[in-house]
Amino acid sequence: MFFTLPTLLTWTRIVAIPLIVGVFYLKLEPATANLLATVMFIVFAWTDWLDGFLARKLNQTSSFGAFLDPVADKFLVCASLLVLVHLQRTDVFVALIIIGREIAISALREWMAKIGASKSVAVHMLGKLKTTVQMVAIPFLLYDGRVLGVIDTRWWGNVLIWVAAVLTVWSMVYYLQKALPEIRARVK
């Protein structure tokens, strides 16, 4: 299951990271680099929905795909946040909140799976909402300009990334609360 169409789409998100980062090291006009990075991020982020849809439609779901999909998402988001911090388009505190949560919840899920309690930290709508908001915020911040001469993407991107940070903390608390009974039962 390493090379099914859905898994190959997931791999593209990992391959996308040096491409998106590399755009800012080319000798391009800033507006061109911003547009190129934004388009790439949107296309590669869209593969997250597409690979899941195709895996179900083509009956090509696998344990490996279920493992790789969230890893690819986290790599893409974390790398993009680091680029945005480097470009001074978002606050380092936001990046630390989002990246820290991703590490903490990934570790929690791994541990819960190890003790046979992974259902207690299954993906919740709150986590999906957080992901959606950050996947809208990041391309706004990468674009860093005005759309239709009206929409200031840096301003809206920062509003949305802070909303994502709040949802990040909220969802982390939710997952920790769900895991706490299992943790307490195992610690005794």
Side-chain angles (χ1 to χ4, degrees), residues 73-140:
D73 297 343
K74 287 167 185 28
F75 280 164
L76 181 61
V77 166
C78 292
S80 297
L81 285 171
L82 292 173
V83 166
L84 292 169
V85 168
H86 175 74
L87 296 171
Q88 298 179 340
R89 295 183 189 173
T90 196
D91 195 292
V92 70
F93 190 62
V94 169
L96 288 172
I97 291 170
I98 293 172
I99 294 170
R101 181 263 191 205
E102 296 303 343
I103 293 167
I105 296 303
S106 293
L108 177 66
R109 284 195 172 121
E110 183 180 335
W111 186 62
M112 296 304 280
K114 194 174 203 174
I115 64 172
S118 58
K119 288 188 192 288
S120 65
V121 288
V123 176
H124 183 265
M125 196 62 200
L126 192 55
K128 290 181 180 187
L129 178 60
K130 179 261 322 169
T131 299
T132 301
V133 173
Q134 73 188 16
M135 292 302 223
V136 172
I138 290 170
F140 272 33

Side-chain angles (χ1 to χ4, degrees), residues 127-154:
K128 290 181 180 187
L129 178 60
K130 179 261 322 169
T131 299
T132 301
V133 173
Q134 73 188 16
M135 292 302 223
V136 172
I138 290 170
F140 272 33
L141 291 166
L142 287 170
Y143 186 74
D144 194 42
R146 291 196 174 273
V147 174
L148 305 173
V150 179
I151 301 168
D152 181 349
T153 63
R154 184 181 286 205

Side-chain angles (χ1 to χ4, degrees), residues 4 14 27 63 72 82 85 136 176:
T4 63
I14 295 171
K27 301 292 185 206
S63 298
L82 292 173
V85 168
V136 172
L176 289 171

